[in-house]
Short mmCIF file of all heavy atoms in Angstrom, two decimals:
data_model
loop_
_atom_site.label_atom_id
_atom_site.label_comp_id
_atom_site.label_asym_id
_atom_site.label_seq_id
_atom_site.Cartn_x
_atom_site.Cartn_y
_atom_site.Cartn_z
N THR A 255 -4.85 15.02 5.14
CA THR A 255 -5.99 14.11 5.18
C THR A 255 -7.22 14.81 4.63
O THR A 255 -7.33 16.04 4.74
CB THR A 255 -6.27 13.62 6.63
OG1 THR A 255 -7.48 12.85 6.62
CG2 THR A 255 -6.45 14.77 7.62
N GLU A 257 -10.10 14.04 5.85
CA GLU A 257 -11.05 14.04 6.99
C GLU A 257 -10.57 15.05 8.03
O GLU A 257 -9.65 15.83 7.79
CB GLU A 257 -11.09 12.63 7.60
CG GLU A 257 -12.43 11.92 7.51
CD GLU A 257 -13.49 12.49 8.46
OE1 GLU A 257 -13.18 13.40 9.24
OE2 GLU A 257 -14.63 12.00 8.42
N ASN A 258 -11.13 14.94 9.21
CA ASN A 258 -10.76 15.81 10.30
C ASN A 258 -9.31 15.56 10.75
O ASN A 258 -8.92 14.41 10.98
CB ASN A 258 -11.75 15.48 11.44
CG ASN A 258 -11.49 16.29 12.66
OD1 ASN A 258 -10.47 16.10 13.31
ND2 ASN A 258 -12.40 17.17 12.96
N ALA A 259 -8.52 16.63 10.83
CA ALA A 259 -7.09 16.46 11.11
C ALA A 259 -6.83 15.94 12.53
O ALA A 259 -5.90 15.14 12.74
CB ALA A 259 -6.37 17.79 10.90
N VAL A 260 -7.66 16.34 13.49
CA VAL A 260 -7.46 15.89 14.88
C VAL A 260 -7.67 14.38 14.96
O VAL A 260 -6.88 13.63 15.56
CB VAL A 260 -8.43 16.62 15.84
CG1 VAL A 260 -8.31 16.09 17.26
CG2 VAL A 260 -8.19 18.12 15.79
N LYS A 261 -8.72 13.93 14.28
CA LYS A 261 -9.03 12.49 14.25
C LYS A 261 -7.88 11.73 13.56
O LYS A 261 -7.46 10.67 14.01
CB LYS A 261 -10.32 12.31 13.45
CG LYS A 261 -10.97 10.99 13.64
CD LYS A 261 -12.36 11.02 12.99
CE LYS A 261 -12.74 9.59 12.61
NZ LYS A 261 -13.74 9.55 11.56
N PHE A 262 -7.37 12.31 12.47
CA PHE A 262 -6.25 11.66 11.77
C PHE A 262 -5.06 11.51 12.71
O PHE A 262 -4.47 10.44 12.81
CB PHE A 262 -5.84 12.50 10.54
CG PHE A 262 -4.67 11.91 9.78
CD1 PHE A 262 -4.87 11.04 8.73
CD2 PHE A 262 -3.36 12.22 10.14
CE1 PHE A 262 -3.80 10.47 8.04
CE2 PHE A 262 -2.28 11.65 9.47
CZ PHE A 262 -2.51 10.79 8.41
N ASN A 263 -4.73 12.58 13.41
CA ASN A 263 -3.56 12.54 14.30
C ASN A 263 -3.70 11.47 15.38
O ASN A 263 -2.73 10.78 15.70
CB ASN A 263 -3.34 13.90 14.95
CG ASN A 263 -2.91 14.95 13.94
OD1 ASN A 263 -2.31 14.61 12.91
ND2 ASN A 263 -3.21 16.21 14.20
N GLU A 264 -4.93 11.33 15.91
CA GLU A 264 -5.15 10.33 16.96
C GLU A 264 -4.84 8.93 16.46
O GLU A 264 -4.09 8.18 17.07
CB GLU A 264 -6.63 10.35 17.39
CG GLU A 264 -6.88 11.30 18.55
CD GLU A 264 -8.38 11.49 18.76
OE1 GLU A 264 -9.17 10.55 18.44
OE2 GLU A 264 -8.74 12.58 19.19
N LEU A 265 -5.42 8.57 15.31
CA LEU A 265 -5.24 7.19 14.85
C LEU A 265 -3.88 6.96 14.20
O LEU A 265 -3.32 5.86 14.29
CB LEU A 265 -6.36 6.79 13.89
CG LEU A 265 -6.72 5.34 14.14
CD1 LEU A 265 -7.76 5.21 15.22
CD2 LEU A 265 -7.14 4.63 12.89
N ALA A 276 -1.34 16.81 11.15
CA ALA A 276 -1.94 16.78 9.82
C ALA A 276 -2.72 18.06 9.51
O ALA A 276 -3.14 18.78 10.41
CB ALA A 276 -2.86 15.58 9.72
#
Side-chain angles (χ1 to χ4, degrees):
T255 174
E257 244 287 357
N258 179 292
V260 176
K261 196 170 154 202
F262 178 92
N263 292 333
E264 269 169 29
L265 217 88

